[in-house]
Amino acid sequence: MSRVVLITGASRGIGAVTAALAASRGYHVGVNYRANRAAAEGVVAGIRDAGGTAVAIAGDVAVEDDVLRMFAECEGALGPITDLVNNAGVVDMKARVDEMSAARLQRMFAVNVFGTMLCAREAVKRMSTRHGGTGGVIVNVSSVAARIGSPGEYVDYAAAKGAVDVFTIGLAKEVAAEGIRVNAVRPGIVRTEIHASGGQPDRLERIAPLVPMLRPGEPEEIAGAILWLLSPEASYTSGTLLDVSGAR
Ligand code: NAP
């Protein structure tokens, strides 16, 4: 039986590179996206051209009905889901906490925290031996922001990723005896479009000198860590927060 991985937010950035790497290692890949269908179809086409198997799946992880449909669509197209990468995430414009609207805070937690939790819930329902499943692996994409706090930039995002970290630890313990491993990768600053989407296209250049390795990470370097956590080589690793951040 082939492994089937659903990767949220896989149309661009870290998710897209993780999808391609997973496919190259034999996973059948559900490429979730929220809005950018063309980009998701491009990721799927790249995987198929390379001889792999993938399908694009629309859905907003913050919307429960979308999450239910995403899992059903992925299973319908590829078979039982054995692995989940909770990668979809958003930042917002640089702001202090005393400038943040309630709507911004709601969105920050709806996507980064509740989206992660809803997808994990659906995965556990399918993977857990308690529910007749055969086990599985969940990798949550957090951030070193959870450790640093991101003052003056986006404390709301950092707090949301902090919640992802605690969720990872708790869920890992809850399902450890049910065949499911749960871990998080905490990237440092990585070369993707997320910085421009937060109104800071120059953020990579600005932060790079603060990184002990003196450079941003590449999405491939995050994808490699995610694939290791998914793999049997990580069979005794669960409840771990793996920083991939150039020693920052
Ligand atoms: P990105 O380049 O901005 O890509 C974001 C992806 O998430 C896109 O595929 C986007 O889909 C999708 N997405 C956004 N909101 C969604 C939603 N509500 N439902 C489903 N999909 C959604 O981001 P990235 O830099 O690759 O970040 C990936 C993850 O790494 C995030 O969790 C982020 O917080 C984390 N991270 C990134 C960095 C960094 O420096 N890049 C550092 C630490 C942590 P569309 O294409 O349809 O918009």
Side-chain angles (χ1 to χ4, degrees):
M1 197 184 79
S2 57
R3 294 200 72 86
V4 174
V5 61
L6 174 60
I7 305 176
T8 66
S11 52
R12 296 182 285 118
I14 292 166
V17 172
T18 303
L21 187 61
S24 76
R25 298 199 182 163
Y27 290 84
H28 294 185
V29 186
V31 176
N32 162 251
Y33 66 100
R34 186 186 63 84
N36 198 336
R37 181 182 179 150
E41 294 291 359
V43 172
V44 168
I47 289 172
R48 290 184 182 156
D49 287 350
T53 302
V55 60
I57 301 168
D60 184 336
V61 296
V63 177
E64 184 174 24
D65 284 351
D66 282 19
V67 170
L68 299 179
R69 187 180 39 71
M70 280 159 50
F71 273 77
E73 259 183 46
C74 189
E75 280 174 337
L78 302 175
I81 294 167
T82 58
D83 301 81
L84 168 68
V85 180
N86 267 319
N87 167 77
V90 291
V91 296
D92 210 318
M93 297 300 150
K94 181 176 169 168
R96 286 170 48 95
V97 171
D98 51 17
E99 299 166 334
M100 291 177 187
S101 68
R104 168 181 170 137
L105 299 179
Q106 297 277 5
R107 171 175 170 265
M108 196 56 56
F109 275 70
V111 177
N112 294 322
V113 183
F114 304 147
T116 294
M117 295 175 78
L118 286 170
C119 289
R121 182 193 73 189
E122 289 310 302
V124 168
K125 280 186 195 168
R126 290 158 170 83
M127 297 172 181
S128 171
T129 53
R130 183 188 172 102
H131 300 301
T134 56
V137 189
I138 298 172
V139 177
N140 298 324
V141 181
S142 175
S143 170
V144 294
R147 178 160 50 70
I148 294 169
S150 304
E153 195 170 33
Y154 27 61
V155 170
D156 53 344
Y157 171 80
K161 292 300 191 181
V164 169
D165 287 358
V166 177
F167 177 66
T168 301
I169 292 166
L171 182 63
K173 292 177 180 175
E174 192 164 292
V175 298
E178 299 169 21
I180 305 175
R181 293 188 297 106
V182 187
N183 292 289
V185 169
R186 298 200 295 191
I189 186 153
V190 181
R191 194 186 306 280
T192 72
E193 294 168 2
I194 200 169
H195 314 291
S197 76
Q200 301 187 67
D202 63 339
R203 190 164 180 267
L204 281 179
E205 290 67 35
R206 204 163 36 76
I207 303 282
L210 306 177
V211 179
M213 281 192 187
L214 299 175
R215 67 170 179 85
E218 300 299 330
E220 289 76 8
E221 296 176 292
I222 311 304
I226 294 171
L227 263 293
W228 177 72
L229 286 170
L230 290 178
S231 80
E233 289 185 355
S235 55
Y236 198 55
T237 303
S238 196
T240 292
L241 313 175
L242 177 58
D243 286 12
V244 186
S245 58
R248 185 165 187 234

